Amino acid sequence: MSVFTLQSGGKMRAMRRTSRRRTDVRPNIDAGDFKENWPFYWVSQINAAYENALERRLKHLGIDIASWRALMSLYDDGYLSVSEIAQHSAQKLNTTTKVVQRMVKDGLATTRVRPTDRRVTEVSLSEKGEALRRKAFEEVQIIYDFALTGQSQEDIDALNTELSQLHSRLKRL
């Protein structure tokens, strides 16, 4: 399995992980390079840069970040409850509820009662919503291609695995 290190100039390099996992390694806060050695610094920097790029690429389509996340959650899963959309899109339930209400009002989504549990309302993309999602995805694919230029599929898979495992551990806190 690969791990990634950030080299000078912002280039990521995949390195083979040794079989021994170290849990006692912590950045030295007195070393003067704390940020560069703190993974969560890079996660927040990447997230901010990604969201800025998303805003620029999607603005002309009338899509904000919250709507983008809901569109892609629905694309991947078809029918989801508002709570499930909130969970998949990493947004608060009240934000997601407002986004879904706006999407339904704009004809981008439809709702139905969940066949297996009539207490749950499910949301799905309409044809208009799917068309907008396709246009948005073309814009976002540009970000993906640019950001991951030079990375092999193996590197991308390893990065996704590492991030998924980190996410799983953090959710247990």
Side-chain angles (χ1 to χ4, degrees), residues 93-103:
L93 183 57
N94 64 347
T95 300
T96 304
T97 299
K98 291 174 187 172
V99 167
V100 167
Q101 289 171 341
R102 188 172 66 229
M103 289 174 68

Side-chain angles (χ1 to χ4, degrees), residues 36-94:
E36 292 78 13
N37 292 305
W38 187 250
F40 300 108
Y41 170 80
W42 291 114
V43 169
S44 64
Q45 292 297 308
I46 290 167
N47 186 59
Y50 176 64
E51 286 188 351
N52 287 336
L54 276 177
E55 287 174 348
R56 288 190 304 272
R57 298 294 320 180
L58 298 176
K59 186 175 184 176
H60 75 280
L61 295 173
I63 300 174
D64 59 14
I65 292 170
S67 298
W68 160 251
R69 289 176 176 181
L71 282 169
M72 292 312 294
S73 294
L74 288 166
Y75 169 68
D76 223 15
D77 290 301
Y79 285 96
L80 292 173
S81 70
V82 176
S83 296
E84 291 165 336
I85 296 169
Q87 180 183 6
H88 289 296
S89 62
Q91 300 181 117
K92 293 183 179 183
L93 183 57
N94 64 347

Side-chain angles (χ1 to χ4, degrees), residues 2-171:
S2 298
V3 294
F4 291 87
T5 59
L6 194 63
Q7 298 176 314
S8 61
K11 179 147 176 65
M12 247 189 327
R13 189 175 123 215
M15 299 178 69
R16 285 279 167 217
R17 172 181 299 219
T18 61
S19 60
R20 191 174 126 227
R21 287 194 181 246
R22 295 184 58 174
T23 57
D24 61 339
V25 177
R26 294 186 177 154
N28 180 354
I29 62 172
D30 298 323
D33 57 357
F34 176 74
K35 289 188 294 284
E36 292 78 13
N37 292 305
W38 187 250
F40 300 108
Y41 170 80
W42 291 114
V43 169
S44 64
Q45 292 297 308
I46 290 167
N47 186 59
Y50 176 64
E51 286 188 351
N52 287 336
L54 276 177
E55 287 174 348
R56 288 190 304 272
R57 298 294 320 180
L58 298 176
K59 186 175 184 176
H60 75 280
L61 295 173
I63 300 174
D64 59 14
I65 292 170
S67 298
W68 160 251
R69 289 176 176 181
L71 282 169
M72 292 312 294
S73 294
L74 288 166
Y75 169 68
D76 223 15
D77 290 301
Y79 285 96
L80 292 173
S81 70
V82 176
S83 296
E84 291 165 336
I85 296 169
Q87 180 183 6
H88 289 296
S89 62
Q91 300 181 117
K92 293 183 179 183
L93 183 57
N94 64 347
T95 300
T96 304
T97 299
K98 291 174 187 172
V99 167
V100 167
Q101 289 171 341
R102 188 172 66 229
M103 289 174 68
V104 170
K105 181 178 152 256
D106 293 345
L108 301 173
T110 60
T111 60
R112 72 174 188 188
V113 173
R114 180 171 281 170
T116 58
D117 185 348
R118 300 196 55 77
R119 298 170 296 172
V120 178
T121 299
E122 293 182 321
V123 183
S124 179
L125 290 178
S126 66
E127 287 182 28
K128 182 179 176 182
E130 176 55 28
L132 183 60
R133 188 215 53 85
R134 276 193 304 274
K135 289 178 188 174
F137 189 76
E138 288 175 15
E139 294 294 328
V140 175
Q141 188 67 48
I142 294 167
I143 298 169
Y144 180 92
D145 292 343
F146 183 80
L148 296 172
T149 295
Q151 301 299 311
S152 70
Q153 188 60 53
E154 181 184 87
D155 290 345
I156 294 167
D157 292 345
L159 177 61
N160 282 331
T161 298
E162 288 289 328
L163 291 171
S164 176
Q165 290 171 354
L166 182 60
H167 179 249
S168 293
R169 285 190 299 272
L170 286 171
K171 285 189 338 184

